[in-house]
Amino acid sequence: METIVFDGTKIGLIVRGKTGVNHDPDLLAQHADVILADGSPMGFFGEGDGASGSGGSFGLGMDGVVYDNSLFQVHRPYYVDLDEAKKYKVKSTVLIITVTKEEAQLFKSFWVKMKTNPGGFSLVGDNCSTNASDAFISAGISKKGIPGLDTPNNLFKQIITVRKKSKSYSGHIGFKKKATGSGFDLVID
């Protein structure tokens, strides 16, 4: 078991369903989430039946919603709780990216803004990886959108090329509340 301490100098990209750095998960077997510099998990999801009229270019009619740790605990506990991830055999690959304080703040600001106005969700063009990519662009870490299809795995490959010193970890993951202060540390087994 390994613990990654988040102290404001790194952020993360999580690709759910990616069992190792060289594994290419099926298109619908992957999801992108991120980790803010304080260790807080964030992710973009589609919910609802389209009654509000949103839906994006793919026509799913779903509303976008940004999950923080509390929403993950309710809707997808196996994404943030190590025991639940093991129970449901949910493996992920995490890319840890060293950042400056300014990059960390810009990355967080993107997610704070998204949480207040998430817009619609679509499988193509406005999905979890599209918004994660936009956060990396907003922070100045990446300069352009995801090459090829906007999948979590393609975003992972892109970020590795722009931040070559990033480090990846694979396995079951969970977030542990810091003993003092706010935020989380990441546990991987």
Side-chain angles (χ1 to χ4, degrees), residues 6-10 37-38 99-101 104:
F6 281 82
D7 59 2
T9 64
K10 54 188 154 275
D38 71 347
V99 293
T100 65
K101 288 185 188 275

Side-chain angles (χ1 to χ4, degrees), residues 24-90:
D24 290 324
D26 292 333
L27 287 178
L28 297 177
Q30 53 185 303
H31 190 273
D33 295 314
V34 301
I35 308 170
L36 302 182
D38 71 347
S40 297
M42 300 292 275
F44 182 71
F45 295 87
E47 290 185 349
D49 60 5
S52 70
S54 65
S57 62
F58 200 69
L60 288 180
M62 297 176 82
D63 297 321
V65 63
V66 174
Y67 285 9
D68 56 15
N69 188 61
S70 62
L71 288 174
F72 274 117
Q73 290 291 344
V74 171
H75 299 286
R76 287 195 167 88
Y78 42 85
Y79 277 9
V80 293
D81 182 293
L82 181 63
D83 292 333
E84 291 289 308
K86 288 179 180 180
K87 177 180 172 183
Y88 290 100
K89 298 177 175 49
V90 176

